[in-house]
Amino acid sequence: MQSSLVLQNLLSPPVLFFFLGVLAVLFRSDLEIPSPLPKLFSLYLLMAIGFKGGIELADIGLGSKVLLTIGAAIFMALAVPVLCFYVLRLKLDAANAAAVAASYGSISAVTFITAESFLNVLHLDFDGFMVAALALMESPAIVVGVILAKLYSDKGGDSATLRWREILREAFLNGSVFLLIGSLVIGGLVGAFSAAGVEKMAPFTEKLFYGVLCFFLLDMGLVAAQRLQDLRKAGSFLIGFAVLAPLVNAMFGLGISRLLGLPQGDALLFMVLCASASYIAVPAAMRMTVPEANPSLYISTALGLTFPFNVVVGIPLYLTLVQRFIPVR
Amino acid sequence: MQSSLVLQNLLSPPVLFFFLGVLAVLFRSDLEIPSPLPKLFSLYLLMAIGFKGGIELADIGLGSKVLLTIGAAIFMALAVPVLCFYVLRLKLDAANAAAVAASYGSISAVTFITAESFLNVLHLDFDGFMVAALALMESPAIVVGVILAKLYSDKGGDSATLRWREILREAFLNGSVFLLIGSLVIGGLVGAFSAAGVEKMAPFTEKLFYGVLCFFLLDMGLVAAQRLQDLRKAGSFLIGFAVLAPLVNAMFGLGISRLLGLPQGDALLFMVLCASASYIAVPAAMRMTVPEANPSLYISTALGLTFPFNVVVGIPLYLTLVQRFIPVR
Amino acid sequence: MQSSLVLQNLLSPPVLFFFLGVLAVLFRSDLEIPSPLPKLFSLYLLMAIGFKGGIELADIGLGSKVLLTIGAAIFMALAVPVLCFYVLRLKLDAANAAAVAASYGSISAVTFITAESFLNVLHLDFDGFMVAALALMESPAIVVGVILAKLYSDKGGDSATLRWREILREAFLNGSVFLLIGSLVIGGLVGAFSAAGVEKMAPFTEKLFYGVLCFFLLDMGLVAAQRLQDLRKAGSFLIGFAVLAPLVNAMFGLGISRLLGLPQGDALLFMVLCASASYIAVPAAMRMTVPEANPSLYISTALGLTFPFNVVVGIPLYLTLVQRFIPVR
Amino acid sequence: MQRIDLFVSEREVDRLCRAIREAGAPGWSVMRHVTGSGEGGEISEAMDFSGLGANAHIVVFCEVTQLEPLRQQIHPILGRFGGVGFVSTAERF
Amino acid sequence: MQRIDLFVSEREVDRLCRAIREAGAPGWSVMRHVTGSGEGGEISEAMDFSGLGANAHIVVFCEVTQLEPLRQQIHPILGRFGGVGFVSTAERF
Amino acid sequence: MQRIDLFVSEREVDRLCRAIREAGAPGWSVMRHVTGSGEGGEISEAMDFSGLGANAHIVVFCEVTQLEPLRQQIHPILGRFGGVGFVSTAERF
Ligand SMILES: Nc1ncnc2c1ncn2[C@@H]1O[C@H](COP(=O)(O)O)[C@@H](O)[C@H]1O
Ligand SMILES: Nc1ncnc2c1ncn2[C@@H]1O[C@H](COP(=O)(O)O)[C@@H](O)[C@H]1O
Ligand SMILES: Nc1ncnc2c1ncn2[C@@H]1O[C@H](COP(=O)(O)O)[C@@H](O)[C@H]1O
Ligand code: NA
Ligand code: NA
Ligand code: NA
């Protein structure tokens, strides 16, 4: 890993504000970002990233390269939770293993955005359509997780029957998934048909983006640090999993990127999608569909450890690997 | 109606985000914009539009053209509720008829802003002082509504006596009215005396405007769709009223615009003012001054049907009429 | 006092919005900026001002000029509360005198920001490192206040023993102090090591700043006017103190600025730091560490009178003095 | 002691608190952003942006002797603007 | 009359309100953004941004006869998703 | 069972919850953003931006035997920082 990349990442404003949040918790400062401000930031980031992705998608069109990448992304969103599930079953019951596995199959939009910002700062190109991959990787893992939980559930009877309506609603109509996909479609329509619309939205989606990301990461620092304390209770198996799973999943992502011939920037984003774990859509869905699972387990692993790991160490590490194994065009 | 105008409106980001909100309700997504975020957007929009309007008013000054337009606007704000009241009395009791009538006499700032954005996208000019008309049309309809409710109230005695202090306070000191008029005055002062102030505020009032409008319309989509479901209970008379009243009022607006010799852009805005119905200032005022009226009736008609109708169909339709009947300068 | 400066200040958007808030209370409008929106504005302002200050500090470095100014600032933050305490003891008990004194020793970030904006509008230069002085003046006064309260406490025993851990935490880890200092450090790091980071944050910290300040001052107008009504109960001694203390402290600030040879812009900011009283960090800290003191006293004086006095009259008055007594370079 | 629970529209909170003060209650607490359902239909927070608000929950702990004056102040407001009230017994903790 | 106090996750509020309506209660009130602690551990508002939310406090005033139907509707939900409920007596004010 | 209702400043919530846990209560719930009036004057939400906050309403349902330890933990805090507490009876639903 090139130490300069790590340093550059560590000294970027979003990562520094993340650390500030962590420090606030460690020093027991009463700094807080009261609800619903974090929600505002998260809604804004999803809307802006979706909209911008849609515009770029409209530009490029749904060519075979785009479709292949998206297909691979969906494949990973289905395969990763199955893999993780069997590993997690070594120590956890079916419900908890399935819920944690679903998190790791799904993605973290903020990790993705942080990686994009990092690429921007390094002036490395990437394709806007990667946002489509992001959007489409959120839901499949949820469905897989619920199915696994029910298949291996110890209890029979009613609680084991799949309530498909509810599961699909949680997977595809979850507020954050819906807003991201909706904004992507709107961005696509506006990009295709209304140049004036693109231009008028630009200041909003561009100028604020980086600052709001910093604000949101400050809050994530606060929340992750609190969660990290929970994680100690979860035991060393889960702690190990939370660090190794992103590494292994990133390697799969690297392999597939090479197979697909993705350019460097896209390869990094693909790796980040595979490596990141969801702490937004998935917990909300699991709470409803697999209530037997303990939320503090799946939130703490994804948010308390995997998220900081990816944001602080993972992104520059994956980029080092990309620069080593993916040819420059 | 030119179908290209309708399409251009339908494909503008604000309208698309409005639809996204509607879809979220129809598909039963759990997307929500938690309180008080919609209030933040609404405060911002009122402040920004008032401030910008004030600056332009300071530029132009209060000439006879401005005063005439504003006078006509106030006249409409007094006449429309009276007219609507007698129509609504066919089916509603005095309190409900008066409350709904007050909504339609008053205006919807967001509909006005959406129309302005539409004109901007089409590169059609309009005068900034129309914001003054907007600001001054909010209150009179409230006063008229309360007077009508009391005059025709079946109950005599205390409840029928007019509490003028309270009514005027609700009409003129309502938070949103106060902020809009206050920002207009501030914009006027700053525009007249402080070029540096104008320049320093510009990024805030300009760059964010369109994006915040989209966010707010996303929320309006959520709320309007919920309200639409209420409206079914309200019956076909009110549903018909909610679509026909804006059309008829827009026609009056068109006639007056022609009489006054307003340019095309101003004529559209004037029509939109006449056609739109208030779901901010008026409901808040009616809740206090005519508590006998059922809020779900006046909110549902104004917000559930008239607002979407104007934003989606009305604005391009009125513009088609403007282009047909108002001469280009 | 040059009347043109006063006018220019009075007609600046932030001051006008402050008045709008005051008027809303006087006219009993129901305008309100619901919680936590004011917190959002305050977090943003602290973050933006800290970050920008850090960047400029990284630019200049910690030379002797900077260190001397900061040293003088800290000295004032220690001396002012002691002075004020003995004056306040004439009429108040130890706890209340100490709490009010701590407010006046500490600073008001918003007053500082308003002064900066005023300098910007007048195209007068000032040094970015003054933000460091601001950041470092918040805490010492808190510690001094607590010590004074305990030293002179009538009650002996447990309540008079100093709980150092708690006091230091309240003084240095108070959320707003922590965010300001944290953002200053982050700005310093980013300024020193990441040009790309500086550039990407600029739109966020620059473009919104003035508008958010207006919004926040609108809220301050609302709150200050409510507080002013409380102040009447507090009696004429405290009312007099709330106007005279900033004047006297500003004079000390002027003297020190001259001694240090600060340029005009910095001298104004230094005076404003001395003159302003804290209504954010200090009340929160006093509530915990000196609970015997009556919060309505220290909040009302600092926020109800001293803050408006400084923002409306003080800043242009101090600038007139600066222009008279501090040589132009 | 007595515990009174009132549920009214947020618009009426100020009016109600004035009434409670005038009736001589020693204190009260207000929780806003309450949603709910009653005779007047369902109330959500969706119209909050308009200043209409949702409901508020007001709690008053007072002596039995203050019940009657409170009733006289509060009943007319509930009658005019809607809202419900309940009373139960409690002790100082 | 009876007063029922329920504390459940915000995610379950809609489901619970539907159950309360079906059980025939005359009304209910919901307070969101409740934090707390119980058998399921501590619940804070920190995950609010994710849509997971905190807890909600639901209050239902009803007649004694409605207690049983309410119990039948509500107990399964509390059993499946967690949450607690308490009941006490009250009078109309 | 017993129901305890506490009204304190938001600043004291953490301290109070620690005290409640130490007293051995099985759970508690906290509602923030409470305004109100008492011996210490009126508390609004206007100073919320400063970190001072408004009041909080804490509810604890517990067994009679836990009342005394709770009292011992909580009374000193109410005495030092202000706030009020009330207790009434309730049953598990
Ligand atoms: N039986 C009840 N239990 C709890 N809350 C109620 C009840 N009835 C009414 N409410 C609350 O009081 C508000 C106003 O009631 P109403 O005037 O009957 O519509 C409702 O929106 C609910 O929040
Ligand atoms: N004894 C109690 N007193 C007050 N609130 C409680 C109590 N037990 C649980 N709660 C609330 O109910 C929620 C869910 O409880 P549980 O399912 O036991 O974790 C908790 O997070 C608390 O908000
Ligand atoms: N009698 C009461 N009924 C309801 N709430 C009260 C009562 N007395 C005090 N409170 C609440 O407790 C807070 C602190 O009370 P105090 O310490 O007496 O000022 C007040 O701000 C109110 O929110
Ligand atoms: Na993943
Ligand atoms: Na109208
Ligand atoms: Na000072």
Side-chain angles (χ1 to χ4, degrees), chain A residues 11 13 16-17 20 23-24 27-32 34-37 41 120-121 207-208 210-211 214-215 218, chain C residues 36 39-40 43-44 47 51 165 169 173-175 178-179 182-183 186 189-190 193-194 196-197 200-201 203-204 208:
Chain A
L11 290 172
L16 288 169
F17 276 105
L20 190 63
L23 283 183
F27 287 167
R28 308 186 64 228
S29 162
D30 65 354
L31 178 64
E32 60 159 356
S35 164
L37 302 181
F41 306 144
N120 270 327
V121 165
K207 304 269 169 191
L208 295 181
Y210 203 66
C214 288
F215 237 129
L218 175 60
Chain C
K39 179 98 184 188
L40 172 66
L43 290 172
Y44 167 80
M47 182 175 166
F51 189 80
R165 262 181 79 99
R169 216 186 82 195
L173 296 173
N174 179 296
F178 189 84
L179 180 60
S183 303
I186 291 178
L189 289 171
V190 173
F193 299 108
S194 161
K200 292 199 74 180
M201 281 296 274
F204 184 70
L208 295 181

Side-chain angles (χ1 to χ4, degrees), chain E residues 7 35-40 43 55 82-84 86, chain F residues 26-29 59-61:
Chain E
F7 296 90
T35 56
S37 176
E39 279 181 18
I43 302 293
N55 288 332
V84 295
F86 304 94
Chain F
W28 62 85
S29 293
V59 185
V60 186
F61 286 91

